[in-house]
Amino acid sequence: MNDVNPLVTANELADKTIVENATKLINLLGVKSRVEQPSLIQEGSGAYNVGTTINSRNKWIEVLKVDEFNMVSGAIEWTPLKTRFSNMLPQKDEYVLPFLEKDLICKGVYKISADVTENGSTLLIQLELESEFSQPVKLPDLLANQGLSTDLKTALMNEEE
Amino acid sequence: MDLKGWDNLGRNLDDKLHLQFKGLIEYLANPTLVNGRTWSNSLQTDVAAAIGVNSPGQVRTIKRVLEQMGIINTSSLNQRTVPTAASVITSLGEVLLALVSIEERLAEISSHSPQVRKSIETMYESFYVKALIHYYYPDGARKSDSDKPFHPLQATIKALHKYHSLDKWEWYLLNTYVLENDNPAQERQLDESIQLYRSRQVNLSMENVIENEKGHQYYPQYLSLSGLVTFQKSGRGWERMELGRKYTDVINCILDKNFTHCFFNSQPVQVNEGNELHEDEQEEAVEI
């Protein structure tokens, strides 16, 4: 008598395939667990893509501020800035995250390309920020921005120090 | 020679059904909408309106397809208990729900990445492999001729393993003669009829099909979605099917001589609600 139940084995094989394919899909969509972040900043064409994470359960958004950028290696040093949002996920064009970088102002989220999972794990999204080379924004002007959270303002002030 | 198809549920497996399933689960997840009702005509009528179908009868057909695919728990929608989303959906159904939600979200953010699209299709394919392992006819492959439970995937894979491929008429011969799994007398009849057909001693056409003339559409469509069986297309239809090569391990399990014994022993007792399928509850079959 064969001890192996072919129905159980067939179901296990099918489950394994579902998990493998789901994992591929999830990786393709960029879903990572909290411990696997942060993503690296990448150079984009005409805009700098900034690695960000949003956590829907704890309601915070994290943006990596570029400290030193190298055209060969990309971002060499960066600082995570974290801010909270109230009860809704930020929608396209809704959030303005002024962003201080030497000779570079990034402002205005204009593309959110993915969403956040609901089970507490986070989905890495690419916030593409409009960028332009101009004079740096003065810190007082930035702190006066009504759209900035207290956390982000504190983080910026700490940066300034 | 008369040909007959296996019975079918009169429902295509497509985006529409996926969204109807999601609509059903979302409706049941809202206690205010369910309002303490069991699976009565009143609840079915409201669900029909919520998911965009015309009649409670169509909702019952959708329910039956989802049950037979293992997407919702069998008999969890009944006239004795108030259903909730959690009591109805299976773990396989949760996979489908997640897939449909991802697709909807990607459509909202206008993501058209071919790589993501391909990955979602592959995910659906593996989902349907699992669903077809579950899928069977509890009351017989063709109620007019048999009342024995029947696993169509096992019968199909066994025939394809033996004959390497089946064309449309050989598929109807399988449907006509094989109504029980692993029945030597029926398999002998199939063998004789295929020999006759392959030696060109009989000619077959749709005029020979006297019952379930959509038999070459609905279930082959399900098979095609799973990738367990591949189809050679011809015009709007298909002309030949053979075993797919991506799921050899699963196919070998289904070919195991103990498979049907294990399968039928694992099935819960079905509650017959006496809902026969009416003509107006079917939808037009979509070609593969």
Side-chain angles (χ1 to χ4, degrees):
Chain A
M1 182 78 182
N2 190 352
D3 286 340
V4 179
N5 182 327
L7 174 64
V8 172
T9 311
N11 275 318
E12 285 173 353
L13 288 167
D15 286 341
K16 185 165 166 274
T17 311
I18 287 176
V19 170
E20 284 172 359
N21 287 333
T23 305
K24 283 181 198 162
L25 177 61
I26 285 167
N27 285 338
L28 205 55
L29 291 172
V31 179
K32 303 275 183 190
S33 68
R34 182 73 185 93
V35 293
E36 288 174 300
Q37 56 180 285
S39 65
L40 290 177
I41 298 168
Q42 298 168 341
E43 185 187 3
S45 56
Y48 286 92
N49 295 330
V50 181
T52 63
T53 53
I54 290 182
N55 183 307
S56 61
R57 190 172 52 182
N58 297 323
K59 301 190 187 309
W60 50 257
I61 182 167
E62 187 174 85
V63 177
L64 299 178
K65 172 184 165 297
V66 181
D67 291 322
E68 192 171 343
F69 190 85
N70 179 315
M71 293 304 284
V72 178
S73 308
I76 300 169
E77 289 183 26
W78 59 88
T79 307
L81 300 177
K82 197 182 277 191
T83 187
R84 288 185 178 277
F85 54 93
S86 55
N87 56 357
M88 294 287 290
L89 289 176
Q91 300 297 309
K92 182 181 173 183
D93 295 331
E94 195 177 82
Y95 245 56
V96 178
L97 288 173
F99 200 88
L100 192 59
E101 167 64 4
K102 188 179 179 184
D103 295 331
L104 172 66
I105 301 167
C106 293
K107 61 183 180 183
V109 177
Y110 70 91
K111 182 179 178 188
I112 295 180
S113 57
D115 201 354
V116 181
T117 57
E118 292 183 354
N119 62 3
S121 64
T122 56
L123 179 61
L124 291 184
I125 64 168
Q126 292 290 342
L127 297 188
E128 292 180 15
L129 305 179
E130 290 176 8
S131 62
E132 53 184 288
F133 289 92
S134 64
Q135 293 298 312
V137 172
K138 291 176 183 172
L139 188 62
D141 294 340
L142 200 55
L143 295 178
N145 187 316
Q146 297 292 321
L148 278 186
S149 72
T150 308
D151 284 357
L152 186 54
K153 285 178 184 174
T154 306
L156 288 169
M157 280 192 286
N158 290 340
E159 285 295 305
E160 181 67 9
E161 289 164 8
Chain B
M1 183 184 283
D2 288 341
L3 299 175
K4 300 176 182 180
W6 290 330
D7 287 344
N8 60 69
L9 294 164
R11 216 77 211 168
N12 296 306
L13 297 183
D14 53 15
D15 291 349
K16 195 166 74 176
L17 182 73
H18 297 158
L19 291 173
Q20 287 163 343
F21 158 68
K22 183 167 182 276
L24 170 69
I25 295 300
E26 284 173 350
Y27 193 97
L28 297 177
N30 188 332
T32 311
L33 294 175
V34 176
N35 197 20
R37 290 175 291 178
T38 61
W39 190 239
S40 57
N41 201 55
S42 157
L43 181 56
Q44 291 169 28
T45 303
D46 288 352
V47 168
I51 66 175
V53 298
N54 294 330
S55 67
Q58 288 190 9
V59 174
R60 289 195 293 273
T61 310
I62 291 166
K63 165 186 172 279
R64 216 168 310 158
V65 177
L66 298 174
E67 281 181 340
Q68 290 192 232
M69 289 281 174
I71 296 168
I72 64 173
N73 288 309
T74 303
S75 304
S76 59
L77 292 170
N78 59 60
Q79 297 187 8
R80 300 176 304 282
T81 51
V82 177
T84 62
S87 72
V88 168
I89 195 167
T90 63
S91 54
L92 185 62
E94 285 175 1
V95 173
L96 179 59
L97 195 61
L99 271 173
V100 177
S101 301
I102 288 171
E103 267 202 308
E104 279 188 328
R105 185 68 185 117
L106 288 173
E108 275 173 28
I109 60 175
S110 303
S111 176
H112 300 298
S113 157
Q115 209 181 355
V116 170
R117 186 65 251 166
K118 180 70 189 161
S119 182
I120 287 176
E121 280 171 16
T122 308
M123 187 65 211
Y124 271 117
E125 190 177 280
S126 53
F127 164 79
Y128 276 117
V129 169
K130 177 94 177 176
L132 284 189
I133 292 172
H134 275 273
Y135 185 85
Y136 79 113
Y137 294 89
D139 308 319
R142 190 167 49 249
K143 289 198 193 74
S144 57
D145 291 324
S146 170
D147 60 1
K148 295 271 176 59
F150 180 68
H151 194 282
L153 181 62
Q154 190 268 355
T156 303
I157 284 178
K158 195 172 179 183
L160 286 172
H161 182 69
K162 181 172 182 181
Y163 299 106
H164 305 294
S165 69
L166 296 175
D167 72 12
K168 183 174 167 181
W169 309 116
E170 291 164 348
W171 167 253
Y172 268 113
L173 291 171
L174 171 68
N175 283 217
T176 303
Y177 294 112
V178 176
L179 302 172
E180 293 173 27
N181 297 98
D182 302 318
N183 179 316
Q186 293 183 357
E187 288 176 357
R188 203 162 40 246
Q189 278 185 300
L190 171 66
D191 202 48
E192 288 167 3
S193 66
I194 285 189
Q195 300 308 328
L196 276 177
Y197 173 71
R198 289 190 172 178
S199 62
R200 298 175 188 270
Q201 294 180 59
V202 290
N203 285 317
L204 299 170
S205 72
M206 278 313 283
E207 288 179 8
N208 296 88
V209 184
I210 58 166
E211 192 173 342
N212 290 334
E213 59 279 357
K214 301 263 176 77
H216 64 288
Q217 293 177 317
Y218 288 112
Y219 190 66
Q221 179 204 34
Y222 301 180
L223 291 170
S224 167
L225 287 168
S226 73
L228 286 164
V229 174
T230 56
F231 289 80
Q232 215 174 78
K233 292 178 185 175
S234 169
R236 289 184 63 239
W238 59 273
E239 63 180 6
R240 188 164 293 280
M241 64 166 77
E242 57 186 35
L243 287 176
R245 293 179 185 166
K246 285 169 72 176
Y247 300 100
T248 312
D249 290 347
V250 174
I251 287 171
N252 285 339
C253 290
I254 294 167
L255 285 170
D256 189 294
K257 60 182 175 20
N258 289 325
F259 179 83
T260 46
H261 173 77
C262 294
F263 180 83
F264 291 122
N265 277 348
S266 72
Q267 295 310 307
V269 176
Q270 298 259 336
V271 178
N272 190 342
E273 296 174 34
N275 293 324
E276 293 302 319
L277 187 65
H278 299 293
E279 192 66 30
D280 67 345
E281 294 171 12
Q282 301 196 29
E283 66 178 355
E284 197 59 36
V286 170
E287 298 286 354
I288 293 168

